[in-house]
Amino acid sequence: RYISAYCAAHDASPAQVALNWLRAKPLVNSVIIGARTMPQLLDNLKAATWDLTALLTQRVGQVFRNFQLSVALGKIRQLRVM
């Protein structure tokens, strides 16, 4: 929700936030975009015109960690059913 609100308030797309989060990672040297259409490409390129705040970088990291945890728990539940 916080990320969606940020996107709306700053005229940014979720893809731009994701790309900038990757760019903010110290061990990431480059980011490969996967645009399939010209509008996607143009949107992705806008990510290079701004940077995430430290707070938003943390929030996106939390969302990513929570997603990884939920995926892992889902896989564990599947294994228990088998």
Side-chain angles (χ1 to χ4, degrees), residues 6-65:
Y6 181 91
C7 290
H10 293 87
D11 192 30
S13 69
Q16 290 174 25
V17 171
L19 291 169
N20 275 324
W21 179 71
L22 287 169
R23 286 182 38 223
K25 306 291 280 174
L27 298 177
V28 174
N29 292 319
S30 63
V31 177
I32 299 172
I33 58 176
R36 287 183 241 169
T37 65
M38 186 57 73
Q40 286 177 340
L41 175 62
L42 295 173
D43 182 68
N44 287 181
L45 292 176
K46 284 182 188 175
T49 66
W50 60 278
D51 295 314
L52 291 180
T53 63
L55 178 60
L56 188 57
T57 301
Q58 286 180 317
R59 294 279 173 104
V60 174
Q62 289 169 350
V63 169
F64 181 68
R65 283 187 295 280

